[in-house]
Coordinates of all heavy atoms in Angstrom, one line a residue:
M1 N 22.6 168.1 42.6 CA 23.1 168.8 43.7 C 24.6 168.8 43.8 O 25.3 169.7 44.1 CB 22.5 168.4 45.0 CG 21.0 168.8 45.2 SD 20.2 168.1 46.7 CE 21.4 168.3 47.9
L2 N 25.2 167.6 43.5 CA 26.6 167.4 43.6 C 27.3 167.8 42.3 O 28.6 167.7 42.2 CB 26.9 166.0 44.0 CG 26.4 165.5 45.3 CD1 26.7 164.0 45.5 CD2 27.0 166.3 46.4
D3 N 26.6 168.0 41.2 CA 27.2 168.2 39.9 C 28.1 167.1 39.5 O 29.2 167.3 39.0 CB 27.9 169.6 39.9 CG 28.3 170.0 38.5 OD1 27.5 169.7 37.6 OD2 29.3 170.6 38.3
A4 N 27.6 165.9 39.8 CA 28.3 164.7 39.4 C 27.5 163.8 38.5 O 26.2 163.9 38.5 CB 28.6 163.8 40.7
P5 N 28.1 163.1 37.6 CA 27.3 162.2 36.7 C 26.5 161.2 37.4 O 27.0 160.6 38.4 CB 28.4 161.6 35.7 CG 29.7 161.8 36.4 CD 29.5 162.9 37.4
L6 N 25.4 160.9 36.9 CA 24.5 159.8 37.4 C 24.8 158.5 36.8 O 24.7 158.4 35.5 CB 23.0 160.2 37.2 CG 22.0 159.1 37.7 CD1 22.1 158.8 39.2 CD2 20.6 159.5 37.3
V7 N 25.3 157.5 37.5 CA 25.6 156.2 37.0 C 24.7 155.2 37.7 O 24.5 155.2 38.9 CB 27.1 155.8 37.4 CG1 27.4 154.4 36.9 CG2 28.0 156.8 36.7
T8 N 24.0 154.3 36.9 CA 23.1 153.4 37.4 C 23.5 152.0 37.0 O 23.9 151.8 35.8 CB 21.7 153.7 36.8 OG1 21.4 155.1 37.1 CG2 20.6 152.8 37.4
T9 N 23.3 151.0 37.9 CA 23.6 149.6 37.5 C 22.3 148.8 37.4 O 21.3 149.1 38.2 CB 24.5 148.9 38.6 OG1 23.9 149.1 39.9 CG2 25.9 149.6 38.6
F10 N 22.2 147.9 36.5 CA 21.1 147.0 36.3 C 21.6 145.6 36.4 O 22.6 145.3 35.9 CB 20.4 147.3 35.0 CG 19.7 148.5 34.8 CD1 20.3 149.7 34.4 CD2 18.3 148.6 35.1 CE1 19.6 150.9 34.3 CE2 17.6 149.8 35.0 CZ 18.3 150.9 34.6
Y11 N 20.8 144.8 37.1 CA 21.2 143.4 37.3 C 20.3 142.3 36.8 O 20.6 141.1 36.8 CB 21.4 143.1 38.8 CG 22.6 143.8 39.4 CD1 22.5 144.9 40.2 CD2 23.9 143.4 39.0 CE1 23.6 145.6 40.7 CE2 25.0 144.1 39.5 CZ 24.8 145.2 40.3 OH 25.9 145.8 40.8
G12 N 19.1 142.6 36.3 CA 18.2 141.5 35.8 C 16.8 141.9 35.9 O 16.1 142.3 34.9
Y13 N 16.2 141.6 37.1 CA 14.8 141.9 37.3 C 14.4 143.3 36.9 O 13.3 143.5 36.3 CB 14.4 141.6 38.8 CG 13.0 141.9 39.1 CD1 12.0 141.0 38.8 CD2 12.6 143.1 39.7 CE1 10.6 141.3 39.2 CE2 11.3 143.4 40.1 CZ 10.3 142.5 39.8 OH 9.0 142.8 40.1
D14 N 15.2 144.2 37.2 CA 14.9 145.6 36.9 C 14.9 145.9 35.4 O 14.4 146.9 34.9 CB 15.9 146.6 37.6 CG 17.4 146.1 37.4 OD1 17.6 145.1 36.7 OD2 18.2 146.8 38.0
V15 N 15.4 145.0 34.6 CA 15.4 145.1 33.1 C 14.4 144.2 32.5 O 13.6 144.5 31.7 CB 16.8 144.9 32.5 CG1 16.7 144.9 31.0 CG2 17.8 145.9 33.0
S16 N 14.4 142.9 33.0 CA 13.7 141.9 32.3 C 12.2 141.9 32.7 O 11.3 141.6 31.9 CB 14.3 140.5 32.6 OG 14.2 140.2 34.0
R17 N 11.9 142.1 33.9 CA 10.5 142.0 34.4 C 9.8 143.3 34.8 O 8.6 143.5 34.5 CB 10.4 141.0 35.5 CG 10.7 139.6 35.0 CD 10.4 138.6 36.1 NE 10.8 137.2 35.6 CZ 11.0 136.2 36.4 NH1 10.9 136.4 37.7 NH2 11.4 135.1 35.9
L18 N 10.5 144.1 35.6 CA 9.9 145.2 36.2 C 9.1 146.1 35.2 O 8.0 146.4 35.4 CB 10.9 146.0 37.0 CG 10.4 147.2 37.8 CD1 9.4 146.7 38.9 CD2 11.5 147.9 38.5
P19 N 9.8 146.5 34.1 CA 9.1 147.4 33.2 C 7.9 146.7 32.4 O 7.0 147.4 32.0 CB 10.1 147.9 32.2 CG 11.3 147.0 32.4 CD 11.2 146.4 33.7
K20 N 8.0 145.4 32.4 CA 6.9 144.7 31.7 C 5.7 144.4 32.6 O 4.6 144.5 32.2 CB 7.4 143.4 31.1 CG 8.4 143.6 30.0 CD 9.1 142.3 29.6 CE 10.2 142.6 28.6 NZ 11.2 141.6 28.5
Q21 N 6.0 144.2 33.9 CA 4.9 143.9 34.9 C 4.3 145.2 35.4 O 3.2 145.2 35.8 CB 5.5 143.1 36.0 CG 5.9 141.7 35.6 CD 6.6 140.9 36.7 OE1 6.9 141.5 37.8 NE2 6.7 139.6 36.5
K22 N 5.1 146.3 35.4 CA 4.6 147.5 36.0 C 4.9 148.7 35.0 O 6.0 149.3 35.0 CB 5.2 147.8 37.3 CG 4.9 146.7 38.4 CD 5.5 147.0 39.7 CE 5.1 145.9 40.7 NZ 5.5 146.1 42.0
P23 N 3.9 148.9 34.1 CA 4.2 149.9 33.0 C 4.6 151.3 33.5 O 5.3 152.0 32.7 CB 2.8 150.0 32.3 CG 2.1 148.7 32.6 CD 2.6 148.3 34.0
K24 N 4.3 151.7 34.7 CA 4.8 153.0 35.1 C 6.3 153.1 35.1 O 6.8 154.2 35.1 CB 4.2 153.4 36.5 CG 4.7 152.5 37.6 CD 4.1 152.8 39.0 CE 4.6 151.8 40.0 NZ 3.9 152.1 41.3
W25 N 7.0 152.0 35.2 CA 8.4 152.0 35.2 C 9.0 152.4 33.9 O 10.1 152.9 33.8 CB 9.0 150.7 35.7 CG 8.9 150.6 37.2 CD1 8.0 150.0 38.0 CD2 9.9 151.2 38.1 NE1 8.2 150.2 39.3 CE2 9.4 150.9 39.4 CE3 11.0 151.9 38.0 CZ2 10.1 151.3 40.6 CZ3 11.7 152.3 39.1 CH2 11.2 152.0 40.4
K26 N 8.3 152.2 32.8 CA 8.8 152.6 31.5 C 9.0 154.1 31.5 O 10.0 154.6 31.0 CB 7.8 152.1 30.4 CG 8.0 150.7 30.1 CD 7.2 150.3 28.8 CE 7.4 148.9 28.5 NZ 6.8 148.5 27.2
E27 N 8.0 154.8 32.0 CA 8.1 156.3 32.1 C 9.2 156.7 33.0 O 10.0 157.6 32.6 CB 6.8 156.9 32.6 CG 5.6 156.7 31.7 CD 4.3 157.3 32.3 OE1 4.4 158.2 33.1 OE2 3.2 156.7 31.9
R28 N 9.4 156.0 34.1 CA 10.5 156.4 35.0 C 11.8 156.1 34.3 O 12.8 156.9 34.5 CB 10.3 155.6 36.3 CG 9.1 156.0 37.1 CD 9.0 155.1 38.3 NE 7.8 155.6 39.1 CZ 7.3 154.9 40.1 NH1 7.8 153.7 40.4 NH2 6.3 155.3 40.8
Y29 N 11.9 155.0 33.6 CA 13.2 154.7 32.9 C 13.5 155.7 31.9 O 14.6 156.1 31.6 CB 13.1 153.3 32.4 CG 13.4 152.2 33.4 CD1 13.6 152.5 34.7 CD2 13.4 150.9 33.0 CE1 13.8 151.5 35.6 CE2 13.6 149.8 33.9 CZ 13.8 150.1 35.2 OH 14.1 149.1 36.1
E30 N 12.5 156.2 31.1 CA 12.7 157.2 30.1 C 13.4 158.4 30.8 O 14.3 159.0 30.2 CB 11.4 157.6 29.5 CG 10.8 156.6 28.5 CD 9.5 156.9 27.9 OE1 9.1 158.1 28.1 OE2 8.8 156.0 27.4
Q31 N 12.9 158.9 31.9 CA 13.4 160.0 32.6 C 14.9 159.7 33.0 O 15.8 160.5 32.9 CB 12.6 160.4 33.8 CG 11.3 160.9 33.5 CD 10.4 161.2 34.8 OE1 10.8 160.9 35.9 NE2 9.2 161.6 34.5
L32 N 15.1 158.5 33.6 CA 16.4 158.1 34.0 C 17.4 158.1 32.9 O 18.5 158.5 33.0 CB 16.3 156.7 34.7 CG 17.6 156.1 35.2 CD1 18.2 156.9 36.3 CD2 17.4 154.7 35.7
F33 N 17.0 157.5 31.7 CA 17.9 157.4 30.6 C 18.2 158.8 30.0 O 19.3 159.0 29.5 CB 17.2 156.6 29.5 CG 17.0 155.1 29.8 CD1 15.9 154.4 29.3 CD2 17.8 154.5 30.8 CE1 15.7 153.1 29.6 CE2 17.5 153.1 31.1 CZ 16.5 152.4 30.5
T34 N 17.3 159.7 30.2 CA 17.6 161.1 29.7 C 18.6 161.8 30.7 O 19.6 162.4 30.2 CB 16.3 161.9 29.7 OG1 15.4 161.3 28.8 CG2 16.6 163.4 29.3
R35 N 18.4 161.6 32.0 CA 19.3 162.3 32.9 C 20.6 161.6 33.2 O 21.6 162.2 33.6 CB 18.5 162.4 34.3 CG 17.3 163.3 34.1 CD 16.6 163.4 35.4 NE 15.4 164.3 35.3 CZ 14.4 164.3 36.1 NH1 14.4 163.6 37.2 NH2 13.4 165.1 35.9
G36 N 20.6 160.2 33.1 CA 21.8 159.5 33.5 C 22.9 159.6 32.5 O 22.7 159.7 31.3
A37 N 24.1 159.5 33.0 CA 25.3 159.6 32.1 C 25.8 158.2 31.7 O 26.4 158.0 30.6 CB 26.4 160.3 32.9
L38 N 25.6 157.2 32.5 CA 26.2 155.9 32.3 C 25.3 154.8 32.9 O 24.8 155.0 34.1 CB 27.6 155.8 32.9 CG 28.4 154.5 32.6 CD1 28.7 154.3 31.1 CD2 29.7 154.6 33.4
F39 N 25.1 153.7 32.2 CA 24.3 152.6 32.7 C 25.1 151.3 32.6 O 25.6 150.9 31.5 CB 23.0 152.5 31.9 CG 22.2 153.7 32.1 CD1 22.3 154.7 31.2 CD2 21.3 153.9 33.1 CE1 21.6 155.9 31.3 CE2 20.6 155.0 33.3 CZ 20.7 156.1 32.4
L40 N 25.4 150.6 33.7 CA 26.2 149.4 33.8 C 25.3 148.2 33.8 O 24.3 148.1 34.6 CB 27.1 149.5 35.1 CG 28.0 150.6 35.2 CD1 28.7 150.6 36.5 CD2 29.0 150.7 34.0
V41 N 25.7 147.2 33.0 CA 25.0 145.9 33.0 C 26.0 144.8 33.1 O 27.2 145.0 32.8 CB 24.2 145.8 31.7 CG1 23.0 146.8 31.6 CG2 25.0 145.9 30.4
E42 N 25.5 143.6 33.4 CA 26.5 142.5 33.6 C 26.9 141.8 32.3 O 27.8 141.0 32.3 CB 25.9 141.5 34.6 CG 24.7 140.8 34.1 CD 24.3 139.6 35.0 OE1 25.1 139.1 35.7 OE2 23.1 139.3 35.0
G43 N 26.2 142.0 31.2 CA 26.5 141.3 30.0 C 25.9 142.0 28.8 O 25.0 142.9 28.9
E44 N 26.3 141.5 27.6 CA 25.8 142.1 26.4 C 24.3 142.0 26.2 O 23.6 142.9 25.8 CB 26.5 141.5 25.2 CG 28.0 141.9 25.0 CD 28.9 141.1 26.0 OE1 28.5 140.2 26.6 OE2 30.1 141.5 26.0
Y45 N 23.8 140.8 26.5 CA 22.4 140.6 26.4 C 21.6 141.6 27.2 O 20.6 142.2 26.7 CB 22.0 139.1 26.8 CG 20.5 138.9 26.7 CD1 19.9 138.7 25.4 CD2 19.7 138.9 27.8 CE1 18.6 138.4 25.3 CE2 18.3 138.6 27.7 CZ 17.8 138.4 26.4 OH 16.4 138.2 26.3
M46 N 22.0 141.8 28.4 CA 21.2 142.8 29.3 C 21.4 144.2 28.7 O 20.4 145.0 28.8 CB 21.7 142.7 30.7 CG 20.8 143.5 31.7 SD 21.3 143.4 33.4 CE 21.0 141.6 33.7
G47 N 22.5 144.5 28.1 CA 22.7 145.8 27.5 C 21.7 146.0 26.3 O 21.1 147.0 26.1
E48 N 21.5 144.9 25.5 CA 20.5 144.9 24.4 C 19.1 145.2 25.0 O 18.3 145.9 24.4 CB 20.6 143.6 23.6 CG 21.9 143.5 22.9 CD 22.1 142.1 22.3 OE1 21.1 141.3 22.4 OE2 23.2 141.8 21.8
Q49 N 18.8 144.5 26.1 CA 17.5 144.7 26.7 C 17.3 146.1 27.2 O 16.2 146.7 27.0 CB 17.3 143.7 27.8 CG 17.4 142.2 27.5 CD 16.3 141.8 26.5 OE1 15.1 142.1 26.8 NE2 16.6 141.3 25.4
L50 N 18.3 146.7 27.7 CA 18.2 148.0 28.2 C 18.0 149.0 27.0 O 17.2 149.9 27.1 CB 19.5 148.4 29.0 CG 19.4 149.5 30.0 CD1 18.4 149.3 31.1 CD2 20.8 149.8 30.6
A51 N 18.7 148.8 25.9 CA 18.6 149.6 24.7 C 17.1 149.5 24.2 O 16.6 150.5 23.8 CB 19.6 149.2 23.7
Q52 N 16.6 148.3 24.3 CA 15.2 148.1 23.8 C 14.2 148.9 24.7 O 13.1 149.2 24.2 CB 14.8 146.6 23.8 CG 15.5 145.9 22.6 CD 15.1 144.4 22.6 OE1 14.2 144.0 23.3 NE2 15.7 143.7 21.7
L53 N 14.6 149.1 25.9 CA 13.7 149.9 26.8 C 13.9 151.4 26.5 O 13.1 152.2 27.1 CB 14.0 149.6 28.3 CG 13.6 148.3 28.8 CD1 14.1 148.0 30.2 CD2 12.1 148.1 28.7
G54 N 14.9 151.8 25.7 CA 15.0 153.2 25.4 C 16.3 153.9 25.7 O 16.5 155.1 25.5
C55 N 17.2 153.1 26.3 CA 18.5 153.7 26.7 C 19.4 153.8 25.5 O 19.5 152.9 24.7 CB 19.2 152.8 27.8 SG 20.7 153.5 28.4
L56 N 20.1 154.9 25.3 CA 21.0 155.0 24.2 C 22.2 154.0 24.4 O 22.8 154.0 25.4 CB 21.6 156.5 24.2 CG 20.7 157.6 23.8 CD1 21.4 158.9 23.9 CD2 20.2 157.4 22.4
P57 N 22.5 153.2 23.4 CA 23.6 152.3 23.5 C 24.9 152.9 23.8 O 25.7 152.2 24.5 CB 23.6 151.6 22.1 CG 22.2 151.8 21.5 CD 21.7 153.1 22.1
A58 N 25.1 154.1 23.5 CA 26.4 154.8 23.8 C 26.6 155.0 25.3 O 27.7 155.2 25.8 CB 26.5 156.1 23.1
K59 N 25.5 155.0 26.0 CA 25.5 155.2 27.5 C 25.6 153.8 28.3 O 25.7 153.8 29.5 CB 24.3 155.9 28.0 CG 24.2 157.3 27.5 CD 22.9 158.0 28.2 CE 22.8 159.4 27.9 NZ 21.7 160.0 28.6
I60 N 25.6 152.7 27.6 CA 25.6 151.4 28.2 C 27.0 150.8 28.2 O 27.7 150.8 27.2 CB 24.6 150.4 27.5 CG1 23.2 151.0 27.5 CG2 24.7 149.1 28.1 CD1 22.2 150.2 26.6
R61 N 27.4 150.3 29.3 CA 28.7 149.6 29.5 C 28.6 148.3 30.2 O 27.8 148.2 31.1 CB 29.8 150.4 30.3 CG 30.1 151.8 29.6 CD 31.1 151.6 28.5 NE 31.5 152.9 28.0 CZ 30.8 153.7 27.2 NH1 29.5 153.3 26.9 NH2 31.2 154.8 26.8
V62 N 29.3 147.3 29.8 CA 29.3 146.0 30.4 C 30.3 146.0 31.5 O 31.5 146.4 31.3 CB 29.6 144.8 29.4 CG1 29.7 143.5 30.2 CG2 28.5 144.8 28.4
Q63 N 29.9 145.6 32.7 CA 30.8 145.5 33.9 C 30.5 144.1 34.4 O 29.5 143.8 35.0 CB 30.5 146.5 34.9 CG 31.4 146.4 36.1 CD 31.2 147.5 37.2 OE1 30.1 148.1 37.2 NE2 32.1 147.7 38.0
R64 N 31.5 143.2 34.2 CA 31.4 141.8 34.6 C 31.3 141.7 36.2 O 32.0 142.5 36.9 CB 32.6 141.0 34.1 CG 32.7 141.0 32.6 CD 31.7 140.1 32.0 NE 31.9 140.2 30.5 CZ 31.0 140.0 29.7 NH1 29.8 139.7 30.1 NH2 31.2 140.1 28.4
L65 N 30.5 140.8 36.7 CA 30.4 140.7 38.1 C 31.4 139.7 38.7 O 31.7 139.8 39.9 CB 29.0 140.2 38.4 CG 27.9 141.2 38.0 CD1 26.5 140.6 38.3 CD2 28.0 142.5 38.7
G66 N 31.8 138.7 38.0 CA 32.7 137.7 38.5 C 34.2 138.1 38.3 O 34.5 139.1 37.6
I67 N 35.0 137.3 38.9 CA 36.5 137.5 38.7 C 37.1 136.2 38.2 O 36.5 135.1 38.4 CB 37.2 137.9 40.0 CG1 37.0 136.9 41.1 CG2 36.7 139.3 40.5 CD1 37.9 137.1 42.3
K68 N 38.2 136.2 37.6 CA 38.9 135.0 37.2 C 39.8 134.6 38.3 O 40.8 135.2 38.6 CB 39.8 135.3 35.9 CG 38.9 135.7 34.7 CD 39.8 136.1 33.6 CE 39.0 136.5 32.4 NZ 39.8 137.0 31.3
I69 N 39.4 133.6 39.0 CA 40.1 133.2 40.3 C 41.5 132.7 40.0 O 42.3 132.8 40.9 CB 39.3 132.1 41.0 CG1 39.1 130.8 40.2 CG2 38.0 132.6 41.5 CD1 38.5 129.7 41.0
N70 N 41.8 132.3 38.8 CA 43.2 131.9 38.5 C 44.1 133.1 38.5 O 45.3 133.0 38.5 CB 43.3 131.2 37.2 CG 42.6 129.8 37.3 OD1 42.5 129.2 38.4 ND2 42.1 129.3 36.2
D71 N 43.5 134.3 38.4 CA 44.4 135.6 38.4 C 44.8 135.9 39.8 O 45.6 136.8 40.0 CB 43.6 136.7 37.8 CG 43.4 136.6 36.3 OD1 44.0 135.8 35.7 OD2 42.6 137.4 35.8
Y72 N 44.3 135.2 40.8 CA 44.6 135.4 42.2 C 45.1 134.1 42.9 O 44.3 133.5 43.6 CB 43.3 136.0 42.9 CG 42.9 137.3 42.3 CD1 41.9 137.2 41.3 CD2 43.4 138.5 42.7 CE1 41.5 138.4 40.7 CE2 43.0 139.7 42.1 CZ 42.0 139.6 41.1 OH 41.6 140.8 40.5
P73 N 46.3 133.8 42.6 CA 46.8 132.5 43.2 C 46.9 132.6 44.7 O 47.0 133.6 45.3 CB 48.2 132.4 42.6 CG 48.6 133.8 42.3 CD 47.3 134.5 41.9
L74 N 46.7 131.4 45.3 CA 46.8 131.3 46.8 C 48.2 131.6 47.3 O 49.2 131.1 46.7 CB 46.4 129.9 47.2 CG 46.5 129.6 48.7 CD1 45.5 130.5 49.5 CD2 46.3 128.1 49.0
K75 N 48.3 132.5 48.3 CA 49.5 132.8 48.9 C 49.4 132.5 50.4 O 48.5 133.1 51.0 CB 49.9 134.3 48.7 CG 50.2 134.7 47.3 CD 50.6 136.1 47.2 CE 50.7 136.5 45.8 NZ 51.0 138.0 45.7
V76 N 50.3 131.7 50.9 CA 50.3 131.4 52.3 C 50.9 132.6 53.1 O 51.9 133.1 52.7 CB 51.1 130.1 52.7 CG1 51.1 129.9 54.2 CG2 50.5 128.9 51.9
R77 N 50.1 133.1 54.0 CA 50.6 134.3 54.8 C 50.4 134.0 56.3 O 49.6 133.2 56.7 CB 49.7 135.5 54.4 CG 49.9 135.8 52.9 CD 49.0 136.9 52.5 NE 49.1 137.0 51.0 CZ 48.7 138.0 50.3 NH1 48.2 139.0 50.9 NH2 48.9 138.0 49.0
F78 N 51.2 134.7 57.0 CA 51.2 134.6 58.5 C 50.9 136.0 59.1 O 51.5 137.0 58.6 CB 52.5 134.0 59.0 CG 52.8 132.7 58.4 CD1 53.5 132.5 57.3 CD2 52.2 131.5 59.0 CE1 53.8 131.2 56.8 CE2 52.5 130.3 58.5 CZ 53.3 130.1 57.4
L79 N 50.1 136.0 60.1 CA 49.7 137.3 60.7 C 50.9 137.6 61.7 O 51.3 136.8 62.5 CB 48.4 137.1 61.5 CG 47.9 138.4 62.2 CD1 47.6 139.4 61.2 CD2 46.6 138.0 63.0
K80 N 51.4 138.8 61.5 CA 52.4 139.3 62.4 C 51.8 139.8 63.7 O 50.7 140.3 63.7 CB 53.2 140.5 61.7 CG 54.0 140.0 60.5 CD 54.7 141.2 59.9 CE 55.4 140.8 58.6 NZ 56.0 141.9 57.9
E81 N 52.6 139.7 64.8 CA 52.1 140.1 66.1 C 51.7 141.6 66.0 O 52.5 142.4 65.6 CB 53.1 139.9 67.2 CG 52.6 140.1 68.5 CD 53.6 139.7 69.6 OE1 54.3 138.7 69.4 OE2 53.5 140.4 70.7
G82 N 50.5 141.9 66.4 CA 50.0 143.3 66.4 C 49.5 143.7 65.0 O 49.1 144.8 64.8
G83 N 49.6 142.8 64.0 CA 49.2 143.2 62.7 C 47.7 143.1 62.5 O 47.0 142.5 63.3
A84 N 47.2 143.7 61.5 CA 45.8 143.7 61.2 C 45.5 142.5 60.2 O 46.2 142.3 59.3 CB 45.4 145.0 60.5
L85 N 44.4 141.9 60.5 CA 43.9 140.8 59.6 C 42.9 141.5 58.6 O 42.0 142.1 59.0 CB 43.2 139.8 60.4 CG 42.5 138.6 59.6 CD1 43.6 137.8 58.9 CD2 41.7 137.7 60.5
R86 N 43.2 141.3 57.3 CA 42.4 141.8 56.3 C 41.8 140.6 55.5 O 42.6 139.7 55.1 CB 43.1 142.7 55.3 CG 43.6 144.0 56.0 CD 44.2 144.9 55.1 NE 45.6 144.4 54.7 CZ 46.3 144.9 53.8 NH1 45.9 145.8 53.0 NH2 47.5 144.3 53.5
T87 N 40.5 140.6 55.2 CA 39.9 139.5 54.5 C 39.1 140.1 53.3 O 38.5 141.2 53.4 CB 39.0 138.7 55.4 OG1 38.3 139.5 56.2 CG2 39.7 137.7 56.1
L88 N 39.0 139.3 52.3 CA 38.1 139.6 51.2 C 37.2 138.4 51.0 O 37.6 137.3 51.0 CB 38.9 139.8 49.9 CG 38.1 139.8 48.6 CD1 37.3 141.1 48.6 CD2 39.1 139.8 47.4
M89 N 35.9 138.8 51.1 CA 34.9 137.7 50.9 C 34.1 138.0 49.7 O 33.7 139.1 49.4 CB 34.0 137.7 52.2 CG 34.7 137.4 53.4 SD 33.7 137.4 54.9 CE 32.6 136.1 54.6
T90 N 33.7 136.9 49.0 CA 32.9 137.0 47.8 C 31.7 136.0 48.0 O 31.9 135.1 48.7 CB 33.6 136.8 46.5 OG1 34.1 135.4 46.5 CG2 34.8 137.7 46.3
G91 N 30.7 136.3 47.3 CA 29.6 135.3 47.3 C 28.6 135.6 46.2 O 28.6 136.6 45.6
K92 N 27.7 134.7 46.1 CA 26.6 134.9 45.1 C 25.3 134.6 45.8 O 25.1 133.5 46.4 CB 26.8 133.9 43.9 CG 25.8 134.1 42.9 CD 26.1 133.1 41.7 CE 25.1 133.3 40.6 NZ 25.4 132.4 39.5
F93 N 24.4 135.5 45.8 CA 23.1 135.3 46.3 C 22.1 135.0 45.2 O 22.0 135.8 44.3 CB 22.6 136.6 47.1 CG 23.5 136.9 48.3 CD1 24.5 137.8 48.2 CD2 23.4 136.2 49.4 CE1 25.3 138.1 49.2 CE2 24.2 136.5 50.5 CZ 25.2 137.4 50.4
K94 N 21.5 133.9 45.3 CA 20.6 133.4 44.2 C 19.3 132.9 44.8 O 19.3 132.1 45.8 CB 21.3 132.3 43.5 CG 20.6 131.9 42.2 CD 21.4 131.0 41.4 CE 20.7 130.6 40.2 NZ 21.5 129.6 39.4
K95 N 18.2 133.4 44.3 CA 16.9 132.9 44.8 C 16.6 131.6 44.2 O 16.8 131.4 43.0 CB 15.8 133.9 44.4 CG 14.5 133.5 44.8 CD 13.4 134.6 44.3 CE 12.0 134.2 44.7 NZ 11.0 135.1 44.3
R96 N 16.3 130.7 45.1 CA 16.0 129.3 44.6 C 14.5 129.0 45.0 O 14.1 129.3 46.1 CB 16.9 128.3 45.2 CG 18.3 128.4 44.7 CD 19.1 127.2 45.2 NE 20.5 127.4 44.8 CZ 21.0 126.6 43.9 NH1 20.4 125.6 43.4 NH2 22.3 126.8 43.5
I97 N 13.8 128.4 44.1 CA 12.5 128.0 44.4 C 12.4 126.5 44.3 O 12.8 125.8 43.4 CB 11.5 128.6 43.3 CG1 11.6 130.1 43.3 CG2 10.1 128.0 43.5 CD1 10.7 130.7 42.2
Y98 N 12.1 125.9 45.5 CA 12.0 124.5 45.6 C 10.5 124.1 45.5 O 9.6 124.7 46.2 CB 12.6 124.0 46.9 CG 14.0 124.3 47.0 CD1 14.5 125.4 47.6 CD2 14.9 123.4 46.4 CE1 15.9 125.7 47.7 CE2 16.3 123.6 46.5 CZ 16.8 124.8 47.1 OH 18.1 125.0 47.2
R99 N 10.2 123.1 44.7 CA 8.9 122.6 44.5 C 8.8 121.1 44.9 O 9.8 120.4 44.5 CB 8.4 122.8 43.1 CG 8.2 124.3 42.7 CD 7.5 124.4 41.4 NE 7.2 125.8 41.2 CZ 7.8 126.5 40.2 NH1 8.6 126.0 39.4 NH2 7.5 127.8 40.1
R100 N 7.8 120.8 45.5 CA 7.6 119.3 45.9 C 7.0 118.6 44.7 O 6.2 119.1 44.0 CB 6.6 119.2 47.0 CG 7.2 119.5 48.3 CD 6.2 119.1 49.4 NE 6.6 119.7 50.6 CZ 5.9 120.0 51.6 NH1 4.6 119.7 51.5 NH2 6.3 120.5 52.7
S101 N 7.5 117.5 44.4 CA 6.9 116.7 43.4 C 5.9 115.7 44.0 O 6.2 115.1 45.1 CB 8.0 115.8 42.6 OG 8.7 115.0 43.6
N102 N 4.7 115.7 43.5 CA 3.6 114.9 44.0 C 3.5 113.5 43.4 O 3.7 113.3 42.3 CB 2.3 115.6 44.0 CG 2.3 116.8 44.9 OD1 3.0 116.8 45.9 ND2 1.6 117.9 44.5

């Protein structure tokens, strides 16, 4: 509708488990790979996995999720009266499974 390229990001489960656990997703991915212009993954290995699912390697690009914190040195700053406070927050959400040892 917008006449814009379709860009899709993959992060892990959607590549490693979903198409294996639910075969209907293989068909859906085939359609997506045909229609999509670009597919972003977090690393080379995930790109290889996406290619094995049928995505053309020429449509796959690696987009790193992390940043090099040394590229952003700490700068002490002071809020001016009436000024706006701007913050940047980052985080990592990770599922952890805790098991009791018996």
